[in-house]
Coordinates of all heavy atoms in Angstrom, one line a residue:
S284 N 11.9 5.3 4.6 CA 10.4 4.9 4.4 C 10.0 4.1 5.6 O 10.7 3.2 5.9 CB 10.2 4.2 3.1 OG 10.6 5.1 2.0
F285 N 8.8 4.3 6.1 CA 8.3 3.6 7.2 C 6.9 3.1 6.9 O 6.2 3.7 6.1 CB 8.3 4.4 8.5 CG 9.6 4.7 9.1 CD1 10.2 6.0 8.8 CD2 10.3 3.8 9.8 CE1 11.4 6.4 9.3 CE2 11.6 4.1 10.3 CZ 12.2 5.3 10.0
I286 N 6.5 1.9 7.5 CA 5.2 1.6 7.4 C 4.6 1.8 8.7 O 5.2 1.7 9.8 CB 4.9 0.0 7.1 CG1 5.6 -0.9 8.1 CG2 5.4 -0.2 5.7 CD1 5.3 -2.3 8.0
W287 N 3.3 2.4 8.7 CA 2.7 2.7 10.1 C 1.2 2.8 9.8 O 0.7 3.0 8.8 CB 3.2 4.1 10.5 CG 3.2 5.2 9.6 CD1 4.1 5.5 8.6 CD2 2.2 6.2 9.6 NE1 3.6 6.7 7.9 CE2 2.4 7.0 8.6 CE3 1.0 6.4 10.3 CZ2 1.6 8.2 8.2 CZ3 0.1 7.5 9.9 CH2 0.5 8.3 8.9
G288 N 0.5 2.9 10.9 CA -1.0 3.1 10.9 C -1.6 1.8 10.3 O -1.0 0.7 10.3
G289 N -2.8 2.1 9.9 CA -3.6 0.9 9.3 C -4.2 -0.1 10.4 O -4.2 0.3 11.5
R290 N -4.5 -1.2 9.9 CA -5.1 -2.2 10.8 C -4.2 -3.2 11.2 O -3.7 -4.1 10.5 CB -6.3 -2.8 10.0 CG -7.4 -1.8 9.6 CD -8.5 -2.3 8.9 NE -9.3 -1.2 8.5 CZ -10.3 -1.3 7.5 NH1 -10.5 -2.4 6.9 NH2 -11.0 -0.2 7.2
G291 N -3.8 -3.0 12.5 CA -2.7 -3.9 13.0 C -3.1 -5.4 13.1 O -2.2 -6.3 13.0
S292 N -4.3 -5.7 13.3 CA -4.7 -7.1 13.4 C -4.5 -7.8 12.1 O -4.0 -9.0 12.1 CB -6.1 -7.3 13.8 OG -7.0 -6.7 12.9
I293 N -4.7 -7.2 11.0 CA -4.5 -7.8 9.6 C -2.9 -7.9 9.5 O -2.5 -8.9 8.9 CB -5.1 -7.0 8.6 CG1 -6.6 -6.9 8.8 CG2 -4.8 -7.5 7.2 CD1 -7.3 -6.0 7.9
R294 N -2.2 -6.8 9.7 CA -0.8 -6.8 9.7 C -0.1 -7.9 10.4 O 0.8 -8.6 9.9 CB -0.2 -5.4 10.0 CG 1.1 -5.1 9.5 CD 1.5 -3.7 9.7 NE 1.4 -3.2 11.0 CZ 0.4 -2.2 11.2 NH1 -0.4 -1.8 10.3 NH2 0.3 -1.8 12.5
R295 N -0.5 -8.3 11.6 CA 0.0 -9.3 12.4 C -0.3 -10.6 11.7 O 0.7 -11.5 11.7 CB -0.6 -9.3 13.8 CG 0.1 -8.2 14.7 CD -0.4 -8.4 16.2 NE -1.9 -8.2 16.3 CZ -2.4 -6.9 16.5 NH1 -1.5 -5.8 16.6 NH2 -3.6 -6.7 16.7
V296 N -1.5 -10.8 11.2 CA -1.8 -12.1 10.6 C -1.0 -12.3 9.3 O -0.3 -13.4 9.0 CB -3.3 -12.1 10.2 CG1 -3.6 -13.4 9.3 CG2 -4.1 -12.3 11.5
L297 N -0.8 -11.2 8.5 CA 0.0 -11.4 7.3 C 1.5 -11.7 7.7 O 2.1 -12.3 6.9 CB -0.1 -10.1 6.5 CG -1.5 -9.8 5.9 CD1 -1.5 -8.5 5.1 CD2 -1.8 -10.9 4.9
Y298 N 2.0 -11.0 8.7 CA 3.4 -11.2 9.1 C 3.6 -12.7 9.5 O 4.6 -13.3 9.1 CB 3.7 -10.3 10.2 CG 5.2 -10.5 10.9 CD1 6.3 -10.1 10.1 CD2 5.3 -11.3 11.9 CE1 7.5 -10.4 10.7 CE2 6.6 -11.5 12.5 CZ 7.7 -11.0 11.8 OH 8.9 -11.3 12.2
M299 N 2.7 -13.2 10.3 CA 2.9 -14.6 10.7 C 2.8 -15.6 9.6 O 3.5 -16.6 9.6 CB 1.9 -15.0 11.8 CG 2.2 -14.3 13.2 SD 4.0 -14.5 13.7 CE 4.0 -16.2 13.9
A300 N 1.9 -15.3 8.7 CA 1.8 -16.1 7.4 C 3.1 -16.1 6.6 O 3.6 -17.1 6.0 CB 0.6 -15.7 6.5
A301 N 3.7 -14.9 6.5 CA 5.0 -14.8 5.8 C 6.1 -15.5 6.4 O 6.9 -16.1 5.8 CB 5.3 -13.3 5.6
V302 N 6.1 -15.4 7.8 CA 7.2 -16.2 8.5 C 7.0 -17.7 8.4 O 7.9 -18.4 8.1 CB 7.1 -15.8 10.0 CG1 8.0 -16.7 10.9 CG2 7.6 -14.3 10.3
A303 N 5.7 -18.2 8.4 CA 5.5 -19.6 8.2 C 5.8 -20.1 6.8 O 6.5 -21.1 6.6 CB 4.0 -19.9 8.5
A304 N 5.5 -19.2 5.8 CA 5.8 -19.5 4.5 C 7.4 -19.6 4.2 O 7.8 -20.5 3.5 CB 5.2 -18.6 3.5
T305 N 8.1 -18.7 4.8 CA 9.6 -18.7 4.6 C 10.2 -20.0 5.3 O 11.3 -20.4 4.8 CB 10.2 -17.4 5.2 OG1 10.0 -17.4 6.6 CG2 9.8 -16.3 4.4
R306 N 9.5 -20.5 6.2 CA 10.1 -21.8 6.9 C 9.6 -23.0 6.3 O 10.3 -24.0 6.2 CB 9.7 -21.8 8.4 CG 10.3 -20.7 9.2 CD 9.9 -20.7 10.6 NE 10.5 -19.7 11.3 CZ 10.2 -19.4 12.6 NH1 9.3 -20.0 13.2 NH2 10.8 -18.3 13.1
C307 N 8.3 -23.1 5.8 CA 7.8 -24.4 5.3 C 7.6 -24.5 3.8 O 7.6 -25.6 3.3 CB 6.3 -24.5 5.9 SG 6.3 -24.6 7.7
N308 N 7.5 -23.4 3.1 CA 7.3 -23.5 1.6 C 8.6 -23.3 1.0 O 9.3 -22.3 1.0 CB 6.4 -22.3 1.1 CG 5.9 -22.5 -0.2 OD1 6.7 -22.9 -1.1 ND2 4.8 -22.0 -0.5
P309 N 9.1 -24.4 0.2 CA 10.4 -24.3 -0.4 C 10.6 -23.3 -1.5 O 11.6 -22.6 -1.5 CB 10.6 -25.7 -1.0 CG 9.2 -26.4 -1.0 CD 8.4 -25.7 0.0
V310 N 9.5 -22.9 -2.1 CA 9.6 -21.9 -3.2 C 9.8 -20.5 -2.6 O 10.6 -19.7 -3.0 CB 8.3 -21.9 -4.2 CG1 8.3 -20.7 -5.1 CG2 8.3 -23.2 -4.8
I311 N 8.9 -20.2 -1.5 CA 9.0 -19.0 -0.9 C 10.3 -18.8 -0.1 O 10.9 -17.8 0.0 CB 7.8 -18.8 0.2 CG1 6.4 -18.9 -0.6 CG2 7.9 -17.6 1.0 CD1 6.2 -17.7 -1.4
R312 N 10.8 -19.9 0.5 CA 12.1 -20.0 1.2 C 13.2 -19.5 0.3 O 14.1 -18.7 0.7 CB 12.3 -21.3 1.8 CG 13.7 -21.3 2.7 CD 14.0 -22.7 3.2 NE 12.8 -23.4 3.9 CZ 12.7 -24.6 3.8 NH1 13.5 -25.4 3.1 NH2 11.5 -25.2 4.3
V313 N 13.3 -20.1 -0.9 CA 14.4 -19.7 -1.8 C 14.3 -18.2 -2.2 O 15.2 -17.5 -2.2 CB 14.3 -20.6 -3.2 CG1 15.3 -20.2 -4.2 CG2 14.6 -22.0 -2.8
F314 N 13.1 -17.8 -2.4 CA 12.8 -16.4 -2.8 C 13.2 -15.4 -1.6 O 13.9 -14.4 -1.8 CB 11.4 -16.1 -3.1 CG 11.0 -14.7 -3.5 CD1 11.5 -14.1 -4.6 CD2 10.2 -14.0 -2.7 CE1 11.2 -12.8 -4.9 CE2 9.8 -12.7 -3.0 CZ 10.4 -12.1 -4.1
Y315 N 12.9 -15.9 -0.4 CA 13.2 -15.0 0.8 C 14.7 -15.0 0.9 O 15.3 -13.9 1.3 CB 12.6 -15.6 2.0 CG 13.0 -15.0 3.3 CD1 12.5 -13.8 3.6 CD2 13.7 -15.7 4.2 CE1 12.9 -13.1 4.8 CE2 14.0 -15.1 5.5 CZ 13.6 -13.8 5.7 OH 14.0 -13.2 6.9
Q316 N 15.4 -16.1 0.8 CA 16.8 -16.2 1.0 C 17.5 -15.3 -0.1 O 18.6 -14.6 0.2 CB 17.4 -17.7 0.8 CG 17.0 -18.6 1.9 CD 17.6 -18.2 3.2 OE1 18.7 -17.6 3.3 NE2 16.8 -18.5 4.3
R317 N 17.1 -15.2 -1.3 CA 17.6 -14.3 -2.3 C 17.4 -12.9 -1.9 O 18.2 -12.1 -2.2 CB 16.9 -14.7 -3.6 CG 17.6 -13.9 -4.8 CD 17.0 -14.2 -6.1 NE 15.6 -13.7 -6.1 CZ 14.6 -14.0 -6.9 NH1 14.8 -15.0 -7.8 NH2 13.5 -13.5 -6.8
L318 N 16.2 -12.6 -1.3 CA 15.9 -11.2 -0.9 C 16.8 -10.8 0.2 O 17.3 -9.5 0.3 CB 14.5 -10.9 -0.5 CG 13.5 -11.0 -1.6 CD1 12.1 -11.0 -0.9 CD2 13.7 -9.9 -2.6
I319 N 17.2 -11.6 1.2 CA 17.9 -11.1 2.4 C 19.4 -11.1 2.1 O 20.2 -10.6 3.0 CB 17.6 -12.0 3.6 CG1 18.0 -13.4 3.4 CG2 16.1 -11.9 4.0 CD1 17.9 -14.3 4.7
K320 N 19.9 -11.5 0.9 CA 21.4 -11.5 0.7 C 21.9 -10.2 0.8 O 23.0 -10.0 1.4 CB 21.7 -12.2 -0.7 CG 21.7 -13.6 -0.6 CD 22.2 -14.2 -1.9 CE 22.2 -15.7 -1.9 NZ 22.6 -16.3 -3.2
G321 N 21.3 -9.1 0.2 CA 21.8 -7.8 0.2 C 21.3 -6.9 1.2 O 21.7 -5.7 1.3
V322 N 20.5 -7.4 2.1 CA 19.9 -6.6 3.2 C 20.3 -6.9 4.5 O 20.4 -8.0 4.9 CB 18.3 -6.8 3.1 CG1 17.5 -5.9 4.1 CG2 17.7 -6.5 1.8
K323 N 20.6 -5.9 5.3 CA 21.2 -6.2 6.7 C 20.0 -6.5 7.6 O 20.3 -7.3 8.5 CB 21.8 -4.9 7.2 CG 23.1 -4.6 6.4 CD 23.7 -3.3 7.0 CE 25.0 -3.1 6.2 NZ 25.7 -1.9 6.8
L324 N 18.8 -6.0 7.4 CA 17.7 -6.2 8.3 C 16.9 -7.5 7.7 O 16.4 -7.4 6.7 CB 16.7 -5.1 8.4 CG 17.4 -3.7 8.9 CD1 16.4 -2.6 8.8 CD2 17.8 -3.9 10.3
Q325 N 16.8 -8.5 8.6 CA 16.2 -9.7 8.2 C 14.7 -9.5 8.0 O 14.1 -10.2 7.2 CB 16.4 -10.8 9.2 CG 17.9 -11.2 9.4 CD 18.4 -12.0 8.2 OE1 17.7 -12.8 7.7 NE2 19.6 -11.6 7.8
K326 N 14.1 -8.6 8.7 CA 12.5 -8.5 8.8 C 12.1 -7.7 7.5 O 11.0 -7.7 7.1 CB 12.1 -7.8 9.9 CG 12.1 -8.7 11.2 CD 11.3 -7.9 12.3 CE 11.3 -8.8 13.5 NZ 10.6 -8.1 14.6

């Protein structure tokens, strides 16, 4: 499954918001750490 198409400007903003949330928000950070345990790709 791939994501493609759509509005790239919105996708870039949402990606950067998710990156910032995984670094600064403790609740999101714990959730992100739990998600990446079983996944090889960090993104």
Side-chain angles (χ1 to χ4, degrees):
S284 296
F285 293 98
I286 60 171
W287 56 276
R290 300 178 183 166
S292 59
I293 300 172
R294 199 168 47 251
R295 282 189 292 273
V296 168
L297 291 175
Y298 175 76
M299 289 310 297
V302 169
T305 59
R306 292 180 182 171
C307 300
N308 188 329
V310 176
I311 301 288
R312 184 183 313 146
V313 169
F314 180 65
Y315 176 70
Q316 293 296 326
R317 191 180 65 198
L318 286 176
I319 63 172
K320 279 186 180 178
V322 179
K323 292 181 182 178
L324 301 173
Q325 299 285 320
K326 286 187 178 182

